[in-house]
Amino acid sequence: MLEGFDFGTPKIASQLTGALAPLKLYNGLSIPPEYFLEAMGRLRDRYLTVPLAAVLHPVSASVKQAAKEQKAAADAAPAVQEEELTAQQWFERGFAASEVDEKLRFYAEAVRLKPDFAEAYINRGVARGNKGDAEGELQDYTEAIRLKPDDADVYYNRGIARREKGDLDGALQDYTEAIRLKPDDAAVYYNRGFARSAKGDVEGALQDYTEAIRLKPDYADAYFNRGVKRRRKGDEEGALQDYTEAIRLKPEYAEAYNNRGNARNVRGDQEGALQDYSEAIRLKPDFALAYYNRSLARRAKSDEEGARQDYNDAIRLGYKPKE
């Protein structure tokens, strides 16, 4: 600016209105009149060759206002929910962990950060069960059910935990609710059949095992247990069929061979019974009951020496004769 010129003086400032108003914000250097031409040359050579984008301009009022509004919006926005992400990360660590104690620690951290994390309660319940903490397992499943009352799998898990604690009525209630929520789950019918059997409800157990087989035709354990119940009801032929099917589906099923041996023995097929007991022993060399049953079959065939050997092996392996 020429010496003596000032954008800020009232007379000049009053002329800088509208688009010219920002000129008042620019810095300027005083230029004595005698150096005007030299100053213009320096302005041209040094400054007017700079790209316009590289020149720093004062912030306009509209930009200032926009920045102010953006800051206010950012301050008013809800905080990023980092806790949920962190809880998920703890959950994933628990899922990937191999040690039970690590799983428990990771899932505990997940529910601490996210108290409504139903899946974390479920998995911690499983880990507590594996640790032998039956009470803690039940508590976690119950909390998961409170948070997620339409999850059939949680009712199923709690049913198993209740049954293992001897609470058959509670187990039956949970299995029944799981079936209501998920009617096509063969495993739940199977376990309810097991609980009904323990309660003495043979007919109800048969119905559940049959439904489990309908839903899962290759369910060897369901055939085996239905065979047990059929034999208890005096249906030796049905029991024999179920044991045979269980063996077909699971050829290494030592218990099924032993039970089929019993069914064959009752039907007078002592040779078939001996074969089944021997196969059960081959598959499970420490199967005390199979040794005992074979000793009876051998005695029935007058093989006293073989019967004595089997009986002694049964006692050695822990079999206790009924008094």
Side-chain angles (χ1 to χ4, degrees):
M1 293 184 297
L2 287 176
E3 191 174 31
F5 183 86
D6 185 356
F7 281 130
T9 60
K11 183 176 181 181
I12 296 173
S14 63
Q15 304 298 315
L16 300 177
T17 60
L20 297 178
L23 286 175
K24 293 181 285 186
L25 302 175
Y26 283 87
N27 294 325
L29 295 175
S30 297
I31 303 173
E34 59 268 26
Y35 292 108
F36 180 77
L37 293 178
E38 182 179 347
M40 291 300 100
R42 182 177 296 183
L43 174 66
R44 180 186 65 247
D45 298 337
R46 179 175 294 184
Y47 298 107
L48 296 183
T49 58
V50 177
L52 184 60
V55 178
L56 295 177
H57 299 281
V59 178
S60 66
S62 60
V63 172
K64 283 183 177 180
Q65 182 61 29
K68 185 176 180 181
E69 291 173 357
Q70 289 174 359
K71 183 178 182 304
D75 291 341
V80 176
Q81 298 299 314
E82 293 184 356
E83 283 191 352
E84 289 190 16
L85 295 176
T86 303
Q88 180 65 30
Q89 290 171 351
W90 283 113
F91 176 82
E92 290 170 1
R93 287 187 181 184
F95 189 83
S98 57
E99 298 293 329
V100 174
D101 287 337
E102 282 190 332
K103 286 180 177 290
L104 288 171
R105 183 167 67 86
F106 294 151
Y107 290 137
E109 190 65 17
V111 298
R112 184 185 70 81
L113 293 170
K114 187 179 178 185
D116 61 349
F117 203 161
E119 289 77 9
Y121 281 105
I122 295 170
N123 285 18
R124 189 174 70 173
V126 173
R128 281 178 159 176
N130 293 335
K131 184 79 172 175
D133 180 9
E135 195 60 41
E137 179 185 16
L138 278 172
Q139 289 174 1
D140 277 346
Y141 292 148
T142 299
E143 181 63 13
I145 287 170
R146 186 186 70 80
L147 294 167
K148 203 174 181 182
D150 59 349
D151 192 328
D153 293 336
V154 192
Y155 281 101
Y156 173 63
N157 283 7
R158 192 174 70 174
I160 292 175
R162 282 178 159 175
R163 189 193 74 200
E164 290 176 350
K165 284 197 68 179
D167 180 9
L168 292 176
D169 289 331
L172 283 170
Q173 290 173 4
D174 280 343
Y175 292 143
T176 300
E177 183 63 13
I179 288 169
R180 185 187 71 80
L181 292 167
K182 193 177 180 182
D184 59 351
D185 194 331
V188 185
Y189 280 101
Y190 172 82
N191 278 278
R192 190 174 70 173
F194 196 91
R196 281 177 161 175
S197 176
K199 290 273 292 180
D201 182 5
V202 176
E203 195 60 43
L206 275 170
Q207 292 173 1
D208 278 344
Y209 291 141
T210 298
E211 183 63 13
I213 290 167
R214 185 188 71 81
L215 292 167
K216 188 180 179 184
D218 60 349
Y219 207 158
D221 289 341
Y223 279 104
F224 175 81
N225 279 11
R226 190 175 69 173
V228 173
K229 295 304 141 197
R230 280 180 161 177
R231 187 154 187 260
R232 182 170 295 181
K233 287 194 68 177
D235 181 7
E236 297 291 344
E237 183 61 32
L240 190 62
Q241 291 174 0
D242 278 346
Y243 294 142
T244 299
E245 184 63 12
I247 289 168
R248 185 187 72 80
L249 293 167
K250 192 175 176 182
E252 72 284 2
Y253 208 156
E255 290 78 7
Y257 278 103
N258 177 74
N259 283 21
R260 190 174 70 174
N262 291 339
R264 282 176 162 176
N265 194 41
V266 169
R267 289 169 60 85
D269 181 7
Q270 293 176 345
E271 195 59 41
L274 275 171
Q275 291 174 2
D276 278 344
Y277 296 142
S278 295
E279 183 63 11
I281 290 168
R282 185 189 72 80
L283 291 167
K284 191 176 179 181
D286 60 349
F287 200 167
L289 182 59
Y291 278 103
Y292 176 76
N293 286 340
R294 192 172 68 174
S295 77
L296 296 179
R298 281 179 163 174
R299 182 169 288 113
K301 288 179 67 69
S302 299
D303 180 7
E304 293 296 335
E305 182 61 28
R308 187 179 301 108
Q309 290 177 359
D310 279 345
Y311 183 81
N312 288 338
D313 282 334
I315 299 300
R316 177 179 59 82
L317 291 168
Y319 177 77
K320 294 181 180 180
K322 296 178 181 179
E323 297 181 357

